[in-house]
Amino acid sequence: PLPPRTAPTPTTTMSTFTMAASAGVTVAAAPAARRSVAQRSAARASAGLGSRKAVGGVSLAGLAAPGAVLNRRSAPAAGASRARRSNVFAAADAAEKVKPDRSGADAKDAGAGQRVMIIGGDGYCGWATALHLSNRGYEVAIVDNMCRRTFDDQLGFNSLTPIKGIHERVRKWEEVSGNKIQLYVGDICDYEFLSAAFQAFEPTAAVHYGEQRSAPYSMMDRTRAVFTQTNNVMGTINVMYAIKEFAPECHLVKLGTMGEYGTPNIDIEEGYITIEHNGRSDTLPYPKQGGSFYHLSKCHDSANMLFCTKAWGLRTTDLNQGVVYGVATEETMMAPELINRLDYDAVFGTALNRFCIQAAVGHPMTVYGKGGQTRGFLDIRDTVRCIQIACDNPAPPGEMKIYNQFTEQFSVNELAAMVTEAGKKIGLDPQVINVPNPRTELEEHYYNAKNSKLGDLGLEPHLMSDALLDSLLNIIVQYKDSVDQRLLLPAVNWKESASVGQNVAANK
């Protein structure tokens, strides 16, 4: 068998795009199915499921026999386990119209009976999600090949916050919380590894963050464009095959992106749209207009998921997530070793986080183009709660639910203005500059996306506030001396993306 794949080793520097920065800028859908109460009660009634013996801290990458299956259960035991999980889902399906009650969502046994595999659990959203669920009684396993750390090593980047290695993180979490997180180190594009992990852990839900998630990274050159598409699309197909073959009742919760929709001149619905054409009507997936090879990989994922859901009767939920901001959740602040990563470079840093870091170090906030680009945003504390809600409300077999996972919409100019105001309150002097837009996108456009379904299921969002921005800025100020200001300016231009050979020639 082939060894696990790794991200391509770069043979080129980044794009030669340069900026001429100019100073100054003026600054309902129907309610979704509700299953959480019935599922939790059924899970607790499932004898023995929550007390199963854990598979301790396993790294499959080090096994001598790559095809070996870890701690595979006997056929009768595995069959009984699947039957108990089926009871959980059957009860949830029968309770479709129960009004959601999330009052117990933060209880230490809220997730009793659920076994959640977090694919990409070492990353920004994945780590926070793993701790959030573990702290609420879900049995959690992390699957990760550490490629996000590899990208930093390749490009000379670093998290602003000093994150620990994944093994130390997991050990510290068990020490602080008393809860064990299982660890499977390997690449989901290696199907032998992935199938062994599925058979060892037997998840009731798989939360799939495990993809290359940066649009600029995917546009740097041909090598990274191809890697992004093959890694993301093939990995998701492998996950669906693993569910089909080893955990057919497992609910796939897949992280998509609001960027799949693009910026259409009509309202963006939650996944599906009803169209009338030539006297006939049908409800179809909302049209997708990805704006980079990364966004297009997510579009392909969504199409593949819908096909497999219908063909194989899978339970799937596609979460089209907006831009995530923040660094702190309840769990990541329980010990310094648990702190989450915070990216500020122009390749992996998200807009609001990057603006806050620029303001903290006295660097002008870089608004791309006119700054009218509008997107959906959410606090990382809401990301983890959305995942919990999705796990508690599995889709019926053969149905793919789609939720737009964001809480507010802002333009880039509005973000810059909010950071400016918040920064002044803590003694900073934030400045804003417009820079040439390295992306191919509309800079002024209509944008109205629907996002009611997660609210219908009980999400109570943390909306943007002065207090939240003050908190984020104060955390960043603690680490501002670690900022490499050379990484704050855009360095990847969509139109200059080329093959490795051409980029190398351009930089000689």
Side-chain angles (χ1 to χ4, degrees), residues 10 27 39 55 60 72 339 344 351:
V27 200
Q39 181 173 356
V55 182
L60 296 188
R72 182 181 291 181
I339 195 167
Y344 65 92

Side-chain angles (χ1 to χ4, degrees), residues 1-2 72 93 95 137 180 203 219 245 252 260 273 286 290 360 364 449 454-455 485:
L2 294 174
R72 182 181 291 181
D93 291 338
K180 191 174 187 66
M219 298 300 298
E245 295 181 351
L252 173 59
E260 293 182 43
I273 185 170
Y286 196 95
L454 285 162
Q485 296 198 25

Side-chain angles (χ1 to χ4, degrees), residues 362-373:
H363 189 288
M365 288 178 277
T366 49
V367 171
Y368 294 174
K370 297 178 181 179
Q373 302 94 315

Side-chain angles (χ1 to χ4, degrees), residues 164-216:
K164 300 296 184 180
I166 186 60
H167 291 88
E168 184 176 351
R169 279 177 148 186
V170 168
R171 285 194 299 268
K172 188 63 179 182
W173 173 246
E174 184 175 7
E175 176 187 320
V176 168
S177 70
N179 300 323
K180 191 174 187 66
I181 291 178
Q182 309 306 315
L183 179 60
Y184 302 91
V185 176
D187 191 336
I188 64 171
C189 290
D190 172 9
Y191 191 69
E192 283 189 308
F193 159 77
L194 183 63
S195 61
F198 260 80
Q199 291 173 84
F201 186 67
E202 296 187 345
T204 60
V207 178
H208 184 15
Y209 288 109
E211 299 193 332
Q212 192 294 103
R213 56 95 172 163
S214 164

